[in-house]
Structure formats: C-alpha cells, structure tokens
Amino acid sequence: MEDKGINPWVSTEYSQPEYVRMIENIHALNENLIVRVEDFSLFYGDKPALKRINLSIKKNRVTAIIGPSGCGKSTLLRAFNRMNDLIPNVRIEGRILIDGEDICKKDTDLVALRRKVGMVFQKPNPFPMSIYENVAFGLKIAGEKDRARLDQLVEKSLRQAALWDEAGDILDRSALTLSGGQQQRLCLARALVIEPEIILMDEPASALDPISTAKLEALIYSLKKDYTIVIVTHNMQQAARVADYTAFLLLGELVEYDETRKIFTNPTDKRTEDYITGRFG
Amino acid sequence: MKGWDKFFALASGLCVLIIFAFLFWIIFIIARNGAGTISWEFFTAAPVEGMTEGGIFPAIYGTVFLVLVMTVFLMPFGVMAGIYLAEYAPQNSRLTQAIRLAVNNLAGVPSIVFGLFGVGFFIQYAGRGLDRTLGLETVFSQPCLLWAAATLAILNLPVVIKTSEEAIKAVPLEHREAAFALGATKLKMIVRVVLPQAFSGILTGAILSVSRGAGEVAPILFTGAAYYLPYIPKLPTDQFMELGYHIFVLSTQSPDVDKTQPLLYGTILVLLLLTLALNTFAIGLRVRMRRKYGR
Ligand SMILES: Nc1ncnc2c1ncn2[C@@H]1O[C@H](COP(=O)(O)OP(=O)(O)OP(=O)(O)O)[C@@H](O)[C@H]1O
Ligand SMILES: [Mg+2]
C-alpha cells in the first residue's frame, strides 16, 4: 500500500474519489484480493463482448473462467494485461484494479503491467530461437546482461516449469524441436522468468495430449503458492481439478462466481447448472 | 471434358518446355562462345587496343563497387520503409493505400527514366548544391559512382520495400503477442522478434536488387558509368566502368566487331556467373536461416 504518511480521514489533501479508492485498497489488502474488476464492459466496435463484469480475484489461488465458446473468456483474460489494446476499435468502460492500481487508464505503464501479469497462450508459441533464448527473452529485453545471473534464472524457471529434466542439457536446441507439451511448459517458463505476480492462461492445455495436460495441471497446482493464476478453460473437469474459484460467463455476462466446489455441486443460477450438466454449450 | 483436360495439361507443359529451351539455348551459346575467353588475364587485366584485347578487370571492380554503394543507400531506406508500412502505418487508411500504390508504380517506371531523374536530381541539383556549399569546383556535380549508385538504389527501392514489408508481415501474430506479453515495447518486439525472423526475406530482396543492379545499364548511363577509363576508381566521386555497360559498348561501339566478339561473350558469361553466384549465395543463406529457425 503506498503510504503517504497522512491519515486519509483527516487530511484535506485528498479528493473524495481518492478517499474512496484508498478505503477500497485497504479492503482489497485485507481480503487478499489482487484483482478487482468493477463494472467492466468491453466493446469490439459497437458489439459488446463483456457486459458490466464485477469480480475479485484472490491472491495465491487458481481462478477458472468457464463458459461456452464466444462468451468472452479470452477477452476478459486479455483485459488483465491489456492485450486487447493490440486490436483496433476496442472500447472499454469501467475499471480493473490490480494491487489497487487502475490498469485501464490511458497512462498505464503497459511494460510494467505485463511484467507483473504474465500470460500463457492457447497455442504454444515459443519464439523460433533456442530454448535458452526463449526463457531468457523477458530478462534480456529488460536489459539483463549478466551471463551468470541469466543462466541461474533460466535454470530456475525451467525447474519451476518442470522442464529442466528434459531440456536442461539441450538448451541450445531450437525450441521448435520440442513436443507440444514441452513447448507449452517452455512458454510457462518464459513467463515465469520475469517473476510476475499473476499468470493468465488461455486454454493452455487445449492443444495437448492427456499426459501433457495432467503434467500442466499438476504444475498449475504447485505454482499457486507463489503466483496467482487465472485460467480459461473449455474443459469443466479441468476447472474442477485445478481451480479454487470458478467464474461462469455467458454471452459476455458474469452469471455466477464462487468457490469451484459450490459451482460444480450446488450452483445458484439455473444457467450455470444447465451449462455444467452439459445441457448447452 | 476429358480431352480438354489432357490438352490443357499438354499445352501448359509445352509452354514450360519452350521457356526452358530458350533459357538453355541462351546459356549454351554464351558458354560455348565465352568459355574460351575466360583466363586469369581476362579477369585481371584492363582492356587494351581500343578494347579489342585485354581483360575486364576495371568493369568487374566498378560493378562490385557500384553495387556495394547502392546497397548502403538502398537497405536502410528500403527496410525502414518496409517496417513503417508493415508495423506503424495505419492499415487500410487511405494514405497507406496511396503510399503502397506509389511504391507499386515506382516499380513500373522504366529504368531510363530513373537515369534521367538521377541526372536532374542528383547531379544537377544535389551535386551542384553540395559543391556550392562545400566551396568545391566540380566534384559532386558530375556523373560519378555515388550518383549512379543512388539512382540504382531508387530504382530498386520498390523491391526492397515490398519484400521487407511482406517478410515482416509474415511473422506470426502469436510471436508478437508473446513478446508484448513479456513486457516488450514495440521497438524491442520489432528488433528482437520480427526482424530476425524477417531477415531471410529481407535478404532475398537485397540480393535480388544486387543482381538486378549489377546488370542494369540505363540508370547509370548518364549518372556515372564510363565508356572507357584508364584508371581504377578509388573514390565514390570517380567515374567507373561497369559490366553491363561494357557489354553494350563492346557490342555496339567496337572498331573491330569480329575481333571483339570473344571478349563480348566472355564478359556476358562473367556477368551471368556473377548474378548466378549471388543468387546461389542468397538461396544458401536463406536455407541456413530457415534451418536455424526450424521452419
Ligand atoms: N478481434 C475481434 N474483433 C471483433 N470481435 C471479436 C474479436 N475477438 C473476439 N470477438 C468477439 O467477442 C466475443 C468474445 O470472444 P472471446 O474470444 O473472448 O470468446 P471466448 O469465450 O474466448 O471463446 P472461445 O472459447 O471460442 O475461445 C465473440 O463473440 C467474438 O466473436
Ligand atoms: Mg478464447
């Protein structure tokens, strides 16, 4: 919490909205919430893709976003690291707070944001470089040149991503020679190396075989002590297996958001029940 | 229907055959008539006896020099323009379309027009201006290698712009997104992800221009190529001899056509081999790049 050494209740230096925000920050910290989405809407041109979403994401937990194809899961996920900025004619309303900071502002430092909020994509997308260069990429673009430190951090991330045993002695090989599952873990290592707080995963296992998927899920589970993970998935068993909390989106609306157990055993909303029992989508 | 199918397959195959026949015919004639001329002396000596004897060293040297200076002018501008069009220009905007159209039209301008433009713009305008500002006599305001190279560079700009733009655009969105998601700025993304992958494409454009530049005569005719030079050019402000122009001179201006003919074929063979070597080099590099990137 940025402490200006002034009690916000008595200081006259703060405007009304600033008080409100500070109080909210205090709440956020108390509840260990790292992300707060507030009345967030997103439009592709005139077409709404997300409609007044409200949700908070807990630190060091895995949160799953589920819902039928086209309901806006990827769009919501990509709002957390402002990847939607790459698409022309996107308009947003509302705000998203990460660590109490509104990331939707025009002057948000996108480089800093994206180093704090890492991402693993649906399709494994390693760069056509060596395994080592892939992992070191995030460090190198940040200006890290110390070879020993690079080596050390690359190894650490590869271990975290459970890839060191397989790739530790072929670091100079092209990343494209790895299998799909290995490539996806490489992409995870690449995201981990810059030590983000949050990791976004957009259907990270959809291109993988069952064994690779199981490995990745085990990995996700082990990572949550250090990271906050938000995962989009089509696969409801997967959500049930890995996620502590689950959000169900439908046609751009957040229908239900609760503990995963509750969502899958005793959903409040009829539409959630229909979806998880496979009645549509 | 079946008959037509067969006919079409045959006809199209025949066209390919005819084209290949022409190509081999040309190469065969040149090789047969030129091979005898090729010798150590031919490569290392200057023309003598009114260019009816001797070698073509000054022309080879001039060609290489010309093409190098051209590349220095051409690549930075061409690649930067390609980067702008692919990465920064608002796609689908009227202005961008207009720029693309202009680049395409530039590619269609006859090369002799570029030659005249080079005289008007580089020699008479830029050259004179330079001389006046620097207080020189006549250094830049005359035909010379510098301006010939600049003219050739302009002639080849469209190729380089287009191949660069296409090579850059071919870099998959996933790699760009991955870079951005790791906190890369646009510049870093371009330098570290896009350009390395686009490199082989850009290189192809460069080598295409070089092999074309080595053979174009019209643009250098008035801007710097010399009919005959008793010395080897040292500075970019010197005139120079060039293979393509030398071929033209040998075939049309010789005092003794029969005596010159072996020289002529020899020179053509050298030019042909030079371009062939360049293209092979380019292909080799491309294959190596592809392998490196595992594609
Ligand atoms: N670049 C875009 N331009 C316009 N509309 C888009 C764009 N990307 C997504 N949309 C639309 O926004 C809506 C939500 O898309 P989104 O990709 O977030 O869905 P999703 O839930 O991730 O679907 P899936 O499960 O198929 O990945 C869809 O209706 C889609 O057509
Ligand atoms: Mg999606």
Side-chain angles (χ1 to χ4, degrees):
Chain A
M1 166 97 242
E2 80 253 69
D3 183 15
K4 297 196 182 165
I6 303 165
N7 180 345
W9 292 112
V10 295
S11 166
T12 50
E13 291 192 46
Y14 291 86
S15 63
Q16 190 66 31
E18 268 175 311
Y19 283 138
V20 176
R21 220 193 87 201
M22 271 185 236
I23 303 313
E24 280 168 354
N25 288 353
I26 292 165
H27 283 306
L29 282 175
N30 286 347
E31 294 172 40
N32 240 344
L33 299 178
I34 189 165
V35 180
R36 282 184 63 138
V37 182
E38 295 180 350
D39 265 342
F40 186 80
S41 306
L42 186 145
F43 303 83
Y44 289 114
D46 302 327
K47 206 174 134 267
L50 295 173
K51 300 171 196 160
R52 306 188 71 110
I53 305 280
N54 283 288
L55 93 167
S56 303
I57 289 171
K58 269 201 181 162
K59 212 172 167 141
N60 294 98
R61 293 287 180 277
V62 179
T63 303
I65 303 174
I66 62 168
S69 188
C71 68
K73 303 183 293 294
S74 300
T75 305
L76 178 59
L77 198 72
R78 292 162 63 93
F80 295 145
N81 63 346
R82 294 266 304 260
M83 285 303 269
N84 292 319
D85 282 28
L86 302 179
I87 300 163
N89 301 323
V90 168
R91 189 166 58 80
I92 58 169
E93 285 167 9
R95 54 183 202 163
I96 295 177
L97 304 176
I98 292 182
D99 281 341
E101 195 69 43
D102 183 1
I103 60 144
C104 297
K105 282 195 279 194
K106 248 212 164 94
D107 62 353
T108 298
D109 178 356
L110 290 183
V111 169
L113 172 68
R114 288 169 184 164
R115 295 181 77 79
K116 184 153 137 183
V117 186
M119 188 165 213
V120 175
F121 295 80
Q122 177 165 5
K123 221 175 103 209
N125 59 354
F127 298 122
M129 308 170 183
S130 70
I131 294 170
Y132 183 94
E133 289 299 325
N134 262 282
V135 183
F137 187 88
L139 299 169
K140 286 194 170 174
I141 56 170
E144 180 64 64
K145 291 203 180 68
D146 181 356
R147 186 76 201 188
R149 194 170 150 70
L150 283 171
D151 287 351
Q152 179 207 333
L153 289 173
V154 166
E155 176 174 345
K156 184 178 156 215
S157 310
L158 283 170
R159 282 191 193 283
Q160 272 186 313
L163 194 59
W164 181 256
D165 291 341
E166 288 147 274
D169 39 79
I170 51 165
L171 292 177
D172 289 332
R173 249 213 253 153
S174 165
L176 304 182
T177 62
L178 296 174
S179 74
Q182 290 172 328
Q183 287 189 11
Q184 197 61 307
R185 276 178 283 144
L186 178 68
C187 293
L188 181 60
R190 184 175 66 181
L192 291 177
V193 82
I194 48 177
E195 297 178 337
E197 290 175 30
I198 303 172
I199 302 169
L200 309 172
M201 299 185 174
D202 194 348
E203 302 190 40
S206 68
L208 306 185
D209 62 87
I211 294 174
S212 304
T213 303
K215 263 191 198 164
L216 192 72
E217 286 176 7
L219 207 52
I220 291 170
Y221 196 83
S222 74
L223 284 172
K224 74 177 177 184
K225 67 178 191 307
D226 298 315
Y227 303 91
T228 305
I229 295 169
V230 187
I231 179 172
V232 164
T233 177
H234 250 128
N235 179 330
M236 264 159 311
Q237 284 79 33
Q238 185 168 64
R241 282 192 300 262
V242 301
D244 301 299
Y245 295 88
T246 297
F248 173 54
L249 282 185
L250 188 60
L251 299 171
E253 278 178 66
L254 181 64
V255 173
E256 193 164 349
Y257 176 47
D258 214 321
E259 285 182 27
T260 301
R261 195 164 18 94
K262 172 99 179 1
I263 292 268
F264 280 95
T265 55
N266 185 19
T268 313
D269 198 292
K270 179 79 173 46
R271 291 169 294 176
T272 315
E273 190 180 341
D274 287 349
Y275 183 69
I276 59 165
T277 52
R279 236 165 288 169
F280 64 81
Chain B
M1 237 25 228
K2 211 148 183 234
W4 276 111
D5 257 6
K6 240 187 193 154
F7 172 77
F8 192 77
L10 265 173
S12 53
L14 198 65
C15 288
V16 173
L17 202 70
I18 291 173
I19 292 164
F20 267 89
F22 269 117
L23 184 66
F24 280 107
W25 185 240
I26 292 171
I27 292 178
F28 173 72
I29 293 191
I30 291 168
R32 195 190 56 186
N33 293 316
T37 320
I38 305 286
S39 66
W40 182 244
E41 195 213 340
F42 185 65
F43 282 113
T44 52
V48 287
E49 301 288 328
M51 294 196 258
T52 55
E53 278 171 38
I56 52 166
F57 178 70
I60 295 177
Y61 178 89
T63 305
V64 173
F65 198 170
L66 173 74
V67 157
L68 282 180
V69 178
M70 174 198 80
T71 311
V72 171
F73 279 122
L74 173 63
M75 293 317 286
F77 278 99
V79 174
M80 288 297 249
I83 291 176
Y84 175 78
L85 284 176
E87 295 287 342
Y88 291 102
Q91 306 295 317
N92 308 324
S93 90
R94 283 273 170 93
L95 184 66
T96 314
Q97 311 273 33
I99 294 174
R100 288 216 176 88
L101 195 68
V103 171
N104 283 337
N105 282 332
L106 197 65
V109 174
S111 52
I112 187 73
V113 176
F114 282 106
L116 292 172
F117 170 80
V119 174
F121 180 75
F122 289 122
I123 299 177
Q124 300 192 341
Y125 178 73
R128 266 204 204 135
L130 263 175
D131 277 351
R132 208 175 306 131
T133 347
L134 301 174
L136 299 166
E137 280 291 294
T138 315
V139 177
F140 289 105
S141 56
Q142 57 169 356
C144 62
L145 193 133
L146 183 71
W147 300 139
T151 309
L152 263 190
I154 294 189
L155 174 83
N156 279 315
L157 262 180
V159 178
V160 173
I161 293 175
K162 275 197 333 203
T163 47
S164 306
E165 185 188 353
E166 270 155 32
I168 288 167
K169 279 198 170 151
V171 175
L173 180 66
E174 298 120 64
H175 293 161
R176 297 158 190 273
E177 286 195 327
F180 281 129
L182 290 164
T185 56
K186 185 148 189 174
L187 180 62
K188 282 195 176 134
M189 188 276 292
I190 292 174
V191 172
R192 293 203 175 237
V193 174
V194 170
L195 289 184
Q197 283 191 65
F199 183 77
S200 58
I202 293 173
L203 194 71
T204 315
I207 306 232
L208 276 178
S209 326
V210 166
S211 64
R212 187 170 164 212
E216 279 281 351
V217 177
I220 59 169
L221 200 55
F222 317 118
T223 51
Y227 175 88
Y228 172 73
L229 271 188
Y231 59 91
I232 300 287
K234 292 205 178 51
L235 294 172
T237 46
D238 290 333
Q239 291 203 10
F240 61 100
M241 290 179 75
E242 198 260 358
L243 282 171
Y245 187 45
H246 193 58
I247 290 169
F248 171 75
V249 170
L250 287 178
S251 59
T252 58
Q253 320 282 305
S254 168
D256 185 343
V257 177
D258 289 337
K259 220 177 145 199
T260 324
Q261 206 164 59
L263 286 180
L264 176 61
Y265 276 113
T267 314
I268 295 175
L269 187 60
V270 169
L271 182 57
L272 216 61
L273 289 178
L274 188 76
T275 13
L276 213 69
L278 275 171
N279 288 341
T280 318
F281 178 62
I283 292 167
L285 260 176
R286 267 179 90 180
V287 170
R288 255 192 56 188
M289 288 298 290
R290 286 227 177 115
R291 209 171 290 147
K292 189 171 158 208
Y293 285 129
R295 272 189 291 164

